């Protein structure tokens, strides 16, 4: 099921500020729920409810694969060249393949030249790059995403339910 992840106003807490559990738990959207409305562990929950967050929707393809759609830049709706979002509810050592499926077309992208996304969490408080061998940037083959590019990357979550920022 596809869910919007941009619920609620910005609450004055930013991932750029010192890490806190309160800022990490605000307005998470889930891809599936069970008893009591809580998603089963391993069904990732996404949030962009903080300054700069720009994830539009997430679609669970399997427990270990997700399609992500970015919201367009505010002042120029045809551009989607960056991303910033948070994920929680992972299982320990869960390996997940993410596809950001609607990057804007750009003839020269640093991702095509080997740049890789960054990640941080409470257990790794500094931004760290994902290994470039786990990052793939290519033109979308889907008709509805004509002139769009896809950034796919693999991440292994280390701690259960720890919020992780990309």
């Amino acid at each position: 099921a596809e869910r919007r992840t941009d619920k609620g106003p910005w609450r004055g807490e930013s991932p750029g500020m010192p890490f806190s559990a309160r800022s990490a738990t605000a307005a998470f959207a889930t891809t599936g729920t069970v008893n009591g409305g809580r998603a089963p562990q391993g069904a990732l929950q996404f949030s962009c409810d903080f300054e700069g967050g720009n994830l539009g929707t997430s679609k669970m393809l399997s427990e270990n694969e997700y399609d992500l759609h970015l919201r367009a830049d505010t002042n120029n709706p045809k551009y989607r060249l960056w991303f910033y979002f948070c994920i929680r509810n992972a299982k320990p050592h869960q390996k997940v393949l993410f596809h950001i499926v609607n990057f804007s077309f750009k003839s020269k992208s640093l991702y095509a030249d080997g740049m890789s996304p960054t990640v941080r969490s409470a257990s790794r408080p500094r931004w760290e790059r994902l290994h470039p061998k786990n990052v793939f940037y290519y033109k979308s083959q889907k008709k509805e995403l004509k002139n769009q590019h896809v950034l796919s990357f693999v991440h292994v979550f280390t701690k259960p339910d720890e919020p992780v920022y990309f």
Side-chain angles (χ1 to χ4, degrees), residues 1-5 29-32 56-61 67-69 101:
E2 204 167 291
R3 300 300 279 293
R4 292 196 54 81
T5 57
T30 185
T31 54
T57 60
S58 62
K59 182 178 181 181
M60 181 183 206
L61 304 177
D67 276 354
L68 308 176
H69 291 260
V101 297

Side-chain angles (χ1 to χ4, degrees), residues 2-3 5 31 44 46 54-61 65-71 80 83 85-87 96-103 145 149-151 153 166:
E2 204 167 291
R3 300 300 279 293
T5 57
T31 54
L44 301 183
F46 296 82
N54 71 332
L55 185 63
T57 60
S58 62
K59 182 178 181 181
M60 181 183 206
L61 304 177
E65 189 173 6
Y66 290 81
D67 276 354
L68 308 176
H69 291 260
L70 302 177
R71 292 189 307 222
R80 287 166 309 282
F83 56 92
F85 57 90
C86 182
I87 299 173
V96 180
L97 175 61
F98 297 101
H99 307 283
I100 300 178
V101 297
N102 65 331
F103 259 89
L145 296 172
H149 278 72
V150 178
L151 176 68
F153 58 92
F166 294 90

